[in-house]
């Protein structure tokens, strides 16, 4: 009896060890990024199933129109020389009329700085970004609006994770209040982006 309990304990200890090493295997190469780590930031990083991406498949700067992805999500792209782009598609029920589904599409781009203290500052190019809000119910959806909202994160961390069974680089952005982005998985490197210089002047001619 005592022997079988010992055997059971040994088995349990083995299982615990095994699961610990699996956790470690799933989260290798963990790193918190600082100035100088821009090459690790480079790429297009997308949440969930990776259906939302930056670039011309999401936003058309000439017509200032969106191509809505099939599922909601968000994506950030970074170049190692300091440019970024953001795409987001969000779908929410209207709290006052739950039968009415609201959707929000956001696109913006600009320059970023990754500081020595790990803070990541994202500066949009003024008057270039766009936001489109629509509702599934009639009632005059507002037209496309300008959108340029700076973002700041106090920590950017990255690791290798199993994502849909594939070993992928993951990235997470945490702000000063501790709010974390969903895990964003690298789907393109080099990143899939629209031209990084001001597009609005070039295409539309508005100063
Ligand atoms: C990190 O450094 C930048 C640039 O000096 C500064 O703007 C930012 O406030 C600092 N962040 C923290 C959390 O100290």
């Amino acid at each position: 009896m005592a022997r079988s309990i010992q055997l059971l304990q040994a088995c349990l200890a083995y299982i615990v060890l095994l699961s610990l090493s699996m956790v470690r295997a799933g989260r290798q190469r963990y790193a918190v990024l600082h100035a100088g780590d821009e090459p690790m930031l480079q790429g297009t990083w997308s949440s969930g199933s990776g259906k939302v991406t930056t670039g011309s498949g999401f936003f058309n700067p000439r017509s200032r129109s969106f191509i809505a992805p099939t599922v909601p999500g968000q994506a950030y792209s970074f170049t190692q020389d300091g440019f970024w782009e953001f795409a987001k598609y969000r779908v929410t029920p209207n709290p006052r009329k739950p039968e009415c589904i609201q959707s929000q599409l956001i696109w913006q781009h600009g320059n970023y700085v990754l500081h020595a203290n790990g803070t990541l500052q994202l500066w949009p190019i003024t008057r270039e970004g766009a936001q489109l809000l629509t509702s599934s119910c009639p009632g005059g959806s507002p037209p496309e609006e300008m959108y340029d909202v700076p973002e700041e994160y106090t920590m950017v961390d990255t690791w290798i994770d199993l994502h849909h069974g594939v070993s992928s680089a993951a990235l997470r952005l945490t702000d000063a209040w501790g709010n974390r982005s969903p895990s964003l998985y690298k789907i393109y490197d080099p990143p899939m982006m629209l031209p990084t210089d001001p597009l609005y002047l070039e295409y539309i001619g508005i100063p």
Side-chain angles (χ1 to χ4, degrees):
M1 189 64 178
R3 269 192 80 175
S4 60
I5 287 173
Q6 268 177 3
L7 199 65
L8 194 66
Q9 281 173 340
C11 282
L12 283 174
Y14 179 69
I15 289 166
V16 168
L17 273 177
L18 203 66
S19 56
L20 277 178
S21 68
M22 276 163 68
V23 168
R24 242 179 272 128
R27 296 218 159 189
Q28 314 156 345
R29 281 194 262 161
Y30 178 84
V32 175
L33 304 189
H34 298 91
D37 293 329
E38 291 82 0
M40 290 173 77
L41 201 52
Q42 176 171 295
T44 295
W45 306 81
S46 180
S47 66
S49 55
K51 290 284 194 300
V52 178
T53 178
T54 50
S56 58
F58 183 80
F59 184 68
N60 181 335
R62 287 169 199 267
S63 56
R64 296 190 61 79
S65 59
F66 289 91
I67 301 103
T70 50
V71 292
Q74 56 179 293
Y76 285 87
S77 282
F78 300 97
T79 66
Q80 54 178 305
D81 59 346
F83 296 101
W84 68 289
E85 187 179 327
F86 177 59
K88 183 173 181 178
Y89 176 40
R90 189 162 167 248
V91 176
T92 42
N94 180 334
R96 288 159 67 201
K97 286 189 254 164
E99 71 281 11
C100 298
I101 304 297
Q102 289 178 318
S103 76
Q104 178 189 38
L105 287 151
I106 293 174
W107 178 87
Q108 60 174 352
H109 73 165
N111 297 83
Y112 78 84
V113 178
L114 182 60
H115 293 282
N117 62 10
T119 292
L120 176 68
Q121 286 179 314
L122 307 176
W123 301 105
I125 300 174
T126 320
R127 306 177 69 184
E128 290 230 341
Q131 167 171 247
L132 182 68
L133 298 167
T134 51
S135 171
S136 63
C137 293
S141 44
E144 173 265 318
E145 302 163 32
M146 297 266 185
Y147 186 89
D148 45 59
V149 179
E151 297 181 24
E152 184 169 319
Y153 298 97
T154 49
M155 186 171 80
V156 180
D157 54 348
T158 180
W159 64 95
I160 304 291
D161 218 342
L162 270 186
H163 183 57
H164 297 304
V166 180
S167 178
S168 313
L171 185 82
R172 187 174 51 190
L173 307 170
T174 306
D175 72 14
W177 296 272
N179 300 310
R180 292 167 162 181
S181 71
S183 294
L184 303 163
Y185 296 93
K186 193 187 271 191
I187 56 168
Y188 301 112
D189 192 357
M192 169 96 79
M193 296 171 83
L194 280 160
T196 52
D197 34 73
L199 298 166
Y200 207 35
L201 276 173
E202 186 188 334
Y203 291 140
I204 305 182
I206 295 176

